[in-house]
Amino acid sequence: MSEPLLSACGLAVRFGSITALDSVGAALWPGEVLAVVGESGSGKTTLLKVLSGRVRPEAGHVWYRAPDGERTDVHAMPLPMLRRLHRSDWGFVEQDPRQALRMDVSAGGNVGERLMAAGARHYGHIRDEAARWLAEVEIDVARIDDKPATFSGGMLQRLQIARTLVTQPRLVFMDEPTGGLDVSVQARLLDLIRTLVRRLGIAVVLVTHDLAVARLLAARIMVMQRGQVVEDGLTDQVLDDPRHPYTQLLVSSVLAA
Amino acid sequence: MNALSVRGLAKGFTLHLQGGTRLAVLAGVSLDVAAGECVALSGPSGAGKTTLLRALYGTYRADAGAILVRHGGGMVDLAVADARTTLEVRAHTLGYVTQFLRVVPRVPALAIVTEAAGAGNDAEARARDLLLRLAIPPRLHGLAPATFSGGEQQRLNLARGFAGAHPILLLDEPTAALDAANRATVVAMIREAKAAGRAIVGIFHDDSVRDAVADRVHEMLPLREAA
């Protein structure tokens, strides 16, 4: 497909005297995984929030192309329309799954709730879909009625992914999805995300500070520093032939195991 | 008809963390490779052989010159192509067998090769045949390669590289970790690929392998000596 699913230009955000985003542009095509890397404070999470409509930029535009080909300005669309997008066509995976999950609702309920919000009504179908998605993310279906409070960190993150993907979104925003997890749990989660994203053809904007995560999941990468994109390209180009001093610093700072 | 045509290629690295030191590795490289032909890159360590291979794949971004690749009926210049075009060329036209397998956690060997073999119904069967031909026994097909030996990983990497049927293949020391029997298999596979009209650029440290597969040798010298 020749048209981007999501595109942005001239994005600017300031928090007081701090420049969080400075004339940032980006484009994401259907089925593509784009990694945004940089250290804390580089503006990558702010960019994710602006792209997903959660934070309004002071300047610039974000355009989303709907399945019918219509292009909409994300920050000019009516709030109910944006909410509807977030409930079905879009997904957002938080670093801390507790922010997205309802901890007092069963695992199956957490997944089914998003389906119902997107319009599903038949209880039996909803429960079947929830069970199917728990299996997809390798959570024992016997746990469907358990509350997330009894789950490990890795299971919570997988449950959040099931809840996000159950509506078969076209576009998913991920904020450090493997942050805060044990390394062995990370590997399993990365493989799961990689497999599901490829199979379902989902486009992903992935914010991470972990270059190995970016390399494994993303075809393209953007490097941010102090609110600006200092380098972008194919992931192997940027990580194997970094040109900007900051990218060289990032790449050379990784400890090889 | 050339599958690959390189003109005046230059590549250097600026090391910003080391006082902005500038390392020039390639300058004025020109090279033509026809369909069905195998060209061996040759030269001492530091001559830029691997740098050239990585530049041809688009991993190292060219400073000057053109890398023309016959792709989908036209020529694409990878030296200036955008990211998505480069991905498209890599998916259909240009394959690269690196020296070392970058292991993906938990993905079984057979799935890795099947994915490379494309979307056809026979992709898995072809992947299995390739693994068997490269002496990777069935008991390993369902395992992730993290625990494979160096030679097994290299053979898996070769199976993945040859599975895609790319018209142009870049090979970086494809037989470095292989025993004589597997070397012979790889030589046979390269010859078959040539017979099928695929163009190959490779680095072969083993002279007997190089003599067995290469139609031409492209000599390279480190830039300081060449100048």
Side-chain angles (χ1 to χ4, degrees):
Chain A
M1 215 179 293
S2 58
E3 298 291 342
L5 185 64
L6 191 76
S7 53
C9 63
L11 297 178
V13 173
R14 296 165 63 84
F15 298 124
S17 61
I18 298 162
T19 302
L21 289 183
D22 181 7
S23 57
V24 171
L28 181 75
W29 277 263
E32 181 184 48
V33 179
L34 170 69
V36 183
V37 303
E39 57 199 29
S40 306
S42 60
K44 55 193 196 299
T45 296
T46 303
L47 176 61
L48 199 68
K49 287 178 178 164
V50 171
L51 290 178
S52 60
R54 289 180 166 192
V55 165
R56 184 178 289 274
E58 283 154 40
H61 293 279
V62 181
W63 302 95
Y64 171 66
R65 191 172 295 278
D68 62 9
E70 192 75 25
R71 211 176 70 144
T72 332
D73 184 333
V74 167
H75 292 280
M77 69 173 76
L79 207 52
M81 188 174 164
L82 184 62
R83 289 209 184 105
R84 199 157 58 237
L85 270 181
H86 270 286
R87 279 198 304 263
S88 54
D89 280 13
W90 291 7
F92 202 109
V93 174
E94 309 271 2
Q95 176 174 2
D96 179 2
R98 290 166 193 85
Q99 285 185 19
L101 296 170
R102 293 220 284 153
M103 300 303 282
D104 54 345
V105 170
S106 71
N110 265 287
V111 180
E113 190 178 59
R114 185 164 149 96
L115 262 186
M116 284 168 67
R121 285 294 170 263
H122 188 289
Y123 177 78
H125 290 171
I126 292 170
R127 192 171 166 87
D128 288 350
E129 271 297 284
R132 187 171 78 80
W133 274 96
L134 290 182
E136 285 277 14
V137 299
E138 302 170 11
I139 292 175
D140 186 348
V141 177
R143 305 289 301 266
I144 191 166
D145 295 317
D146 292 356
K147 298 212 166 108
T150 64
F151 285 12
S152 68
M155 282 174 75
L156 286 177
Q157 195 54 290
R158 281 180 275 132
L159 179 60
Q160 185 188 192
I161 287 168
R163 174 184 165 97
T164 307
L165 298 188
V166 69
T167 57
Q168 314 229 353
R170 308 166 71 214
L171 171 59
V172 175
F173 302 93
M174 295 189 182
D175 189 5
E176 304 274 9
T178 60
L181 296 176
D182 290 340
V183 176
S184 61
V185 178
Q186 267 196 30
R188 182 179 188 184
L189 189 68
L190 283 173
D191 172 45
L192 192 82
I193 293 173
R194 181 178 168 276
T195 308
L196 288 173
V197 160
R198 288 195 177 192
R199 206 181 72 214
L200 304 172
I202 302 167
V204 178
V205 185
L206 168 77
V207 161
T208 179
H209 69 276
D210 189 332
L211 299 182
V213 169
R215 174 151 352 227
L216 197 60
L217 294 180
R220 283 199 303 125
I221 191 168
M222 284 172 34
V223 181
M224 293 193 66
Q225 182 192 29
R226 291 192 217 103
Q228 292 182 324
V229 176
V230 295
E231 186 162 0
D232 69 327
L234 291 174
T235 305
D236 60 307
Q237 290 175 337
V238 173
L239 297 185
D240 294 339
D241 182 18
R243 291 173 164 185
H244 190 275
Y246 180 67
T247 316
Q248 292 189 356
L249 178 68
L250 276 185
V251 170
S252 69
S253 304
V254 175
L255 296 174
Chain B
M1 195 162 63
N2 286 331
L4 179 69
S5 200
V6 180
R7 288 290 172 271
L9 178 65
K11 177 61 188 172
F13 301 91
T14 304
L15 310 177
H16 292 287
L17 305 182
Q18 291 169 51
T21 305
R22 170 96 193 140
L23 289 180
V25 181
L26 303 176
V29 174
S30 293
L31 174 68
D32 290 307
V33 188
E37 189 181 34
C38 175
V39 174
L41 305 182
S42 173
S45 179
K49 302 184 295 292
T50 297
T51 297
L52 175 55
L53 222 49
R54 288 186 181 157
L56 295 182
Y57 196 60
T59 296
Y60 286 175
R61 293 167 278 189
D63 296 332
I67 302 168
L68 300 169
V69 172
R70 181 163 300 283
H71 170 72
M75 296 302 269
V76 172
D77 184 357
L78 278 188
V80 294
D82 64 22
R84 284 160 40 74
T85 306
T86 303
L87 282 181
E88 183 69 24
V89 169
R90 288 179 184 179
H92 299 289
T93 300
L94 187 60
Y96 187 13
V97 180
T98 54
Q99 216 176 333
F100 300 102
L101 178 72
R102 200 180 282 280
V103 178
V104 182
R106 294 209 320 159
V107 180
L110 183 61
I112 290 174
V113 181
T114 303
E115 188 176 303
N121 289 331
D122 62 336
E124 189 174 309
R126 281 193 295 128
R128 205 181 296 277
D129 288 348
L130 267 170
L131 286 172
L132 291 175
R133 185 168 186 197
L134 285 159
I136 297 180
R139 67 185 164 78
L140 294 182
H141 293 189
L143 300 181
T147 57
F148 286 16
S149 73
E152 285 163 349
Q153 292 198 4
Q154 182 164 39
R155 269 138 49 206
L156 170 61
N157 219 13
L158 282 159
R160 175 167 67 174
F162 277 86
H166 297 96
I168 307 169
L169 261 187
L170 310 174
L171 305 176
D172 192 353
E173 298 200 37
T175 59
L178 303 188
D179 60 22
N182 282 309
R183 267 204 309 275
T185 303
V186 173
V187 165
M189 286 171 64
I190 294 173
R191 286 180 165 165
E192 287 166 26
K194 284 166 57 181
R198 296 166 83 174
I200 291 167
V201 183
I203 303 170
F204 308 99
H205 274 197
D206 184 318
D207 288 346
S208 66
V209 171
R210 189 180 71 191
D211 294 345
V213 299
D215 299 288
R216 272 188 302 130
V217 173
H218 178 82
E219 287 291 348
M220 299 178 72
L221 284 173
L223 274 187
R224 276 169 303 264
E225 293 173 37

